Amino acid sequence: MSEVIVVTSGKGGVGKTTSTANIGTGLARMDKKVVLIDTDIGLRNLDVVMGLENRIVYNLVDVTEGNCRIRQALIKDKHYPGLYLLPAAQTRDKSCVSQEQMRKLVDDLKPIFDYIILDSPAGIEQGFRNACAAADRALVITTPEVSAIRDADRIIGLLESDGLRKIDLIINRIRPDMVKRGDMMSVEDVTDILSASLIGVLPDEEAIVIASNHGEPVVGTDSLTGQAYMNICRRLTGEKVPLLNLYKPLSLRSRLSAFIKKKA
Amino acid sequence: MKRNSVIIKSNTYGLILILDPDLPFEELLSDVGQKFRDAAKFFKNAKMALTFRGRVLTREQERRLICAITENSSLNILCLVDEQPEAEEYYKEAIVRSTQADEQSDGQFYRGTLRSGQVLEAEKSVVILGDVNPGAQVISRGNIVVLGCCMGNVYAGASGNRDCFAAGLIMKPNQVRIADKTARSAITKKNDTGEYAIDPKIITIREGHLKLEPLNGKFFADMLEEKAEELSEGVSEKPHTDETAGSSDKS
């Protein structure tokens, strides 16, 4: 049975697209069949981060409008045979696709893939609604900043009122040194404010910027971020017993919290 | 209304209107209008040559008939052809000439940079005074010339003309299409600083493949040579030109 996951945040620039690319690649590394769908019509980025922009012939809107078959629009990843991308249209806008069409599209993809990951656009308008329409699980990305947390809170509220039950939190761009100095909110502070289950913490690292610019995911490298993304993927697949797994201390997180405790 | 006062016949390149010789002109006019109103959907924006048959018309009457047709449908009447045995030949030439002229020799300019998500569609060849950024698209029935950095998607000869080309001062397009051929760039992001030196290049179809060549003296010399060969061939076997005209119309 395939799982449909939406990656969203409300605020822009917190790492939705990067996380989608890396989580998708991570799952593909675990031999899962994964499709990434870019729902940010008009401002597509996922293809650039994946380094697949020059292979786009058909896109999401072509599929929903019936200009091509789904198989024609799916782009195979450069490295992983089980990883595919369905790019967004760049010359159209969000209103080109309806929630109904997204649901149908996802239903068509379900028999083929283990994981369908939807990269949501920023905001809470039609694009976000489309991305969430078909999802059975959400990953909400936030950074330890007041504005991002405020938006994440709003997003979690909207997702809950849409009836989405499985909502997990990823906290991005944690800087241990700043947390130590008390200049940045800690992981605990953020989870307390949002009272959502935490599925991963990502450090603020140069490696991720470099990798994104090269069109390569960071998963699979030795970098902290790469390991952190891999851990998130493991937690995603082991979600048969979600609550137990979610709070299992993991290398990075335990290291971070040990770090914080030692200081306190 | 006499239903058979107007009969529309067609050949590949145009329409023949067979008119009732005895009906009063005004009545005939309204019949023609009616007929084309009914068929407007079928003709859409087709470009056609037109012949009247079965009745001698004055200039004024011809003009009024054409008005009646264009008012009632969105048909484009390119020219009127007198009834002649070789009429079809004329139709063909007239149509091919008027459409090919658009694609090949005529051009238009676009001033400014095309940014991501913008699409420039042109019936004629197009010269862009600016850059074509990644994610932007240029589609032309004719040739495309970018006087700047071409990094987006370019599609020349969109109606199937394989003789079209795409050229630019800096050619780093994501994807190129000419007629039915497609190519994509190699990914060289690792060493890509985003700054390029001016290096004029041209993409054409050579032996069924897209070929990127430097736009320099050698290219021009080769091009002239080819043209000279084509011309000498054209003189020796006249009917050959017909064939090429026919194939370009397939689009």
Side-chain angles (χ1 to χ4, degrees), chain A residues 44 48 51-57 78 90-91 213-216, chain B residues 116-119 134-135 137 153 174-175 184-187 189-190:
Chain A
R44 70 175 177 208
V48 182
L52 300 171
E53 56 181 317
N54 57 350
R55 304 185 189 206
I56 298 174
V57 177
K78 289 177 283 182
Q90 180 70 337
T91 55
N213 285 343
H214 287 174
E216 300 280 349
Chain B
S116 182
Q118 292 179 325
V119 183
Q137 222 175 352
N153 294 2
N174 247 325
Q175 268 179 15
R184 59 164 205 252
S185 69
I187 295 180
K189 279 197 175 167
K190 289 222 162 129

Side-chain angles (χ1 to χ4, degrees), chain B residues 58-168:
Chain B
T58 64
R59 290 244 144 186
E60 176 61 16
Q61 285 174 330
E62 276 181 355
R63 198 188 58 77
R64 289 181 62 189
L65 277 172
I66 291 169
C67 281
I69 293 168
T70 44
E71 271 166 25
N72 287 299
S73 65
S74 46
L75 199 68
N76 291 315
I77 293 166
L78 293 173
C79 56
L80 264 183
V81 182
D82 288 332
E83 181 84 293
Q84 267 170 25
E86 339 55 280
E88 191 154 341
E89 241 354 81
Y90 281 98
Y91 284 138
K92 197 172 177 178
E93 248 172 60
I95 295 288
V96 168
R97 210 182 303 132
S98 74
T99 51
Q100 265 209 330
D102 277 1
E103 288 173 16
Q104 280 289 312
S105 42
D106 250 2
Q108 65 182 62
F109 287 92
Y110 178 85
R111 275 163 233 261
T113 292
L114 286 168
R115 296 181 187 281
S116 182
Q118 292 179 325
V119 183
L120 175 63
E121 286 182 19
E123 290 281 321
K124 304 168 178 178
S125 292
V126 62
V127 178
I128 295 154
L129 297 164
D131 295 342
V132 179
N133 285 350
Q137 222 175 352
V138 187
I139 301 168
S140 163
R141 282 173 184 267
N143 309 312
I144 297 171
V145 176
V146 182
L147 296 176
C149 190
C150 177
M151 297 174 287
N153 294 2
V154 290
Y155 185 6
S159 52
N161 190 341
R162 283 182 166 212
D163 295 330
C164 291
F165 63 81

